[in-house]
Amino acid sequence: MEEANKLPDKKVQEKDVENQQHAYDDTSSLAKGDILQLEHTDPVLNAKMHLVNNAIDEIGFTRYQWRLFVLNGFGYAVDSLILLIQSVISAQAVLEFNPSYRNGLTIAAYVGMLVGALFWGLTADIMGRKIAFNLSLLICSVFAIVAGASPNWEVLGLFICLSSFGGGGNLVLDTAVFLEYLPSYRQWMLTLMAAWWGIGQLIAGFFAWAFLPNYSCADPATTPNAPPCTRANNQGWRYVWYASGSLVFVMSILRITVIRLKETPKFLVSEGRDAECVETLQFIANKYNRPCSLTLDVMQACGTIEKRARDGKSKWGFGEVWIHLKGLYATKRIGISTSLIWLSWTLIGLAYPLYNVFLPAYLASRGAAFGQPSAYITWRNYTLVNFSGIWGPVLAGWLCSTRLGRKYTMVVGALITMAFFFAYTQVRTATQNVVFTCLINFFLNIYYGTLYAYTPEVLPSAHRGTGNGIAIGWNRVMGILSAVIATVADTGTAVPIYICAALYIFMAAIAIAFPFEPYGKRSS
């Protein structure tokens, strides 16, 4: 195999773990391969990103990426875990504290996740991905454990908000970190990683099923002679928080001990730190006995990127944030892509909680209509629904690697979800109720999981954290709005179902309009 740094216009043979052969054109002319290659933003940065892509493909898929798949997947799981935990324990906490605003915990969770997404996202392009990777879950776990000891409603909301702040940055950083180490022929795994979201939901369902039916006070609305609800007879929701926080704490320790994450090569390149980028890639290649022909001389021969050439002020100022915002609209196509991505996240941010966060209330109302009012049956069904959500991203990962690509996988997921939403309003039996909710969660996560992967794939690497953070920030804003809607509307009726169905039609149309298709190309 010829060395790529001897003749940059020659083809380089790479082997992945299964010794499959892949060839890429190693040239800074960007003749093919990279998603944003024709956008003509910073030619020097594009050339260096192309060389980094070549080096990552040459190294191939190693145990390092497998560890990232699991450890970054923890972040996906925790995001859904914290969001759903506050939802499932809310009713019991309300019975104990008798708050004036019953949906306050949902707003607290989404406010924390909104601030977390913006903070970790905006700073990730400034201080790097590594710090958030190591700290976010630790922050989340500490406040999740403390939330279980809350003496009143206001303190509980505060700790949920702080826990969500830590968890809210994971969806921004986990996709970026994994993608920026991932060989291009394995980029479909970014969609597959969303299966961890369903695992987080499943864990939430298991904890609710295990603790709430057996360690909760009775609701006077359904049990007229129920004793007063106190801390002594209502420990179940606290046990749920203790168990969840402890699990997240273990995950945070594993992140630090199992893999000592190095800063991602693409972030280092965008910061002009070519030597560290080459050192990181060579370290991985040497550790796993893989080839890596990238050298510092080849990188520096491309020139100096524009951003570093004009840096003269503090990187922590508003000017630096403005640079990243402008980078998301560097060209017309990139600007259209950014806007449509943000719109998609806004719509799914309303559709998802209207259905999933308030699903317990709807399931309880339907269960009561079917003669199944018991808490055990409700949480059993909830766990089954969450289990079905794991497999949507698995199917989506396979579909993304076919000619359907990312865009039309989202279209398929959105339209089938819409069809089942409409069909769900005609459910008349308990069995139909469980089957249809499982199918909805399965197909819903095909769209959601693909959108999670598509977003960082098409954003410029230098501005990926900012764009991803704002996208998820819009998602959280709509989550807050959904809690307000739940206050003035009856979520036990089918109205939210009709609204969600209409939103998914709109999301399918937006997916068709996306200007970039990552299938067969490499993230920039």
Side-chain angles (χ1 to χ4, degrees):
M1 182 175 67
E2 296 182 2
E3 294 293 329
N5 61 330
K6 291 181 180 179
L7 291 172
D9 58 342
K10 296 293 185 180
K11 289 186 177 180
V12 182
Q13 294 291 334
E14 300 92 357
K15 292 184 178 180
D16 65 3
V17 175
E18 294 81 12
N19 295 318
Q20 295 175 327
Q21 298 292 326
H22 300 272
Y24 296 93
D25 186 12
D26 183 15
T27 172
S28 60
S29 67
L30 303 180
K32 66 175 184 176
D34 299 339
I35 294 173
L36 304 181
Q37 65 188 23
L38 300 178
E39 294 309 302
H40 306 298
T41 50
D42 181 348
V44 175
L45 180 59
N46 288 344
K48 291 186 176 183
M49 288 293 180
H50 186 76
L51 292 174
V52 171
N53 276 337
N54 287 347
I56 293 174
D57 285 339
E58 185 180 8
I59 293 171
F61 196 84
T62 69
R63 288 194 303 277
Y64 190 83
Q65 283 88 350
W66 271 121
R67 291 173 181 172
L68 284 178
F69 178 80
V70 174
L71 298 175
N72 285 21
F74 287 167
Y76 267 76
V78 167
D79 185 277
S80 62
L81 174 68
I82 295 300
L83 183 60
L84 266 68
I85 287 298
Q86 68 79 23
S87 173
V88 300
I89 64 94
S90 178
Q92 290 305 130
V94 164
L95 291 176
E96 182 175 334
F97 296 131
N98 296 310
S100 58
Y101 192 70
R102 298 172 63 92
N103 290 323
L105 298 187
T106 299
I107 292 180
Y110 273 105
V111 167
M113 289 189 170
L114 169 61
V115 177
L118 294 176
F119 174 81
W120 297 113
L122 292 173
T123 57
D125 291 331
I126 299 174
M127 67 181 182
R129 285 66 157 138
K130 179 179 178 179
I131 296 176
F133 181 86
N134 290 331
L135 288 181
S136 57
L137 287 190
L138 183 61
I139 294 173
C140 179
S141 66
V142 170
F143 288 109
I145 294 173
V146 175
S150 300
N152 56 55
W153 184 258
E154 291 75 18
V155 172
L156 176 59
L158 173 62
F159 288 140
I160 288 177
C161 182
L162 293 173
S163 179
S164 299
F165 168 77
N170 281 280
L171 294 184
V172 180
L173 275 302
D174 290 339
T175 51
V177 169
F178 189 52
L179 176 64
E180 293 180 5
Y181 275 109
L182 197 59
S184 60
Y185 47 87
R186 291 293 189 96
Q187 279 183 201
W188 58 269
M189 290 187 69
L190 197 63
T191 302
L192 177 63
M193 196 168 73
W196 284 94
W197 174 270
I199 293 174
Q201 292 177 318
L202 180 64
I203 293 172
F206 274 134
F207 284 157
W209 191 11
F211 295 116
L212 294 182
N214 300 317
Y215 302 99
S216 298
C217 62
D219 187 350
T222 58
T223 309
N225 297 324
C229 190
T230 65
R231 181 166 183 165
N233 65 359
N234 195 38
Q235 288 286 324
W237 69 266
R238 298 178 186 274
Y239 293 156
V240 171
W241 275 118
Y242 294 146
S244 301
S246 299
L247 178 62
V248 177
F249 181 75
V250 172
M251 291 178 177
S252 68
I253 298 301
L254 290 176
R255 275 194 170 193
I256 299 172
T257 57
V258 171
I259 187 170
R260 294 185 177 181
L261 182 73
K262 292 182 175 292
E263 193 54 79
T264 66
K266 291 186 177 181
F267 172 78
L268 294 173
V269 169
S270 68
E271 288 292 295
R273 295 154 63 179
D274 294 349
E276 294 177 63
C277 170
V278 174
E279 180 183 352
T280 297
L281 292 170
Q282 291 288 354
F283 169 81
I284 296 174
N286 292 334
K287 182 175 182 178
Y288 297 100
N289 195 27
R290 299 299 179 88
C292 180
S293 53
L294 182 66
T295 66
L296 181 58
D297 291 339
V298 172
M299 291 284 286
Q300 292 182 336
C302 296
T304 303
I305 63 175
E306 293 177 6
K307 179 178 180 295
R308 303 312 303 178
R310 68 172 181 268
D311 272 352
K313 299 181 180 180
S314 171
K315 65 184 297 184
W316 299 99
F318 286 106
E320 184 75 11
V321 175
W322 180 244
I323 288 174
H324 291 300
L325 290 174
K326 288 197 301 183
L328 296 170
Y329 288 86
T331 68
K332 182 178 179 180
R333 290 185 75 205
I334 292 177
I336 292 173
S337 175
T338 299
S339 298
L340 291 179
I341 286 171
W342 288 352
L343 179 58
S344 297
W345 277 97
T346 302
L347 295 176
I348 191 68
L350 180 60
Y352 182 82
L354 275 179
Y355 170 70
N356 220 9
V357 174
F358 300 112
L359 182 60
Y362 192 70
L363 280 177
S365 67
R366 302 293 281 189
F370 301 139
Q372 295 177 334
S374 75
Y376 179 86
I377 295 296
T378 296
W379 294 119
R380 183 206 66 183
N381 293 348
Y382 194 54
T383 302
L384 291 173
V385 171
N386 292 330
F387 177 75
S388 68
I390 297 174
W391 308 105
V394 175
L395 177 59
W398 177 77
L399 292 175
C400 284
S401 62
T402 68
R403 292 193 176 276
L404 274 179
R406 276 61 159 174
K407 290 171 55 175
Y408 288 97
T409 296
M410 282 187 275
V411 171
V412 169
L415 292 181
I416 296 179
T417 301
M418 175 272 299
F420 277 106
F421 268 132
F422 282 125
Y424 186 54
T425 61
Q426 303 304 312
V427 165
R428 295 294 181 268
T429 69
T431 301
Q432 291 174 350
N433 184 38
V434 175
V435 170
F436 270 78
T437 49
C438 288
L439 288 172
I440 287 173
N441 215 34
F442 175 84
F443 289 108
L444 181 155
N445 280 344
I446 290 179
Y447 174 86
Y448 215 164
T450 308
L451 181 63
Y452 269 120
Y454 179 86
T455 300
E457 278 188 299
V458 299
L459 292 173
S461 179
H463 319 296
R464 183 168 286 142
T466 301
N468 210 2
I470 294 175
I472 296 175
W474 280 115
N475 180 274
R476 306 314 190 192
V477 169
M478 299 308 290
I480 296 172
L481 180 60
S482 71
V484 176
I485 293 174
T487 302
V488 299
D490 183 3
T491 54
T493 72
V495 173
I497 305 298
Y498 286 119
I499 295 175
C500 291
L503 290 174
Y504 274 96
I505 297 174
F506 194 15
M507 285 184 275
I510 294 174
I512 295 174
F514 282 142
F516 298 114
E517 171 52 64
Y519 174 71
K521 297 183 176 66
R522 308 187 292 189
S523 64
S524 297

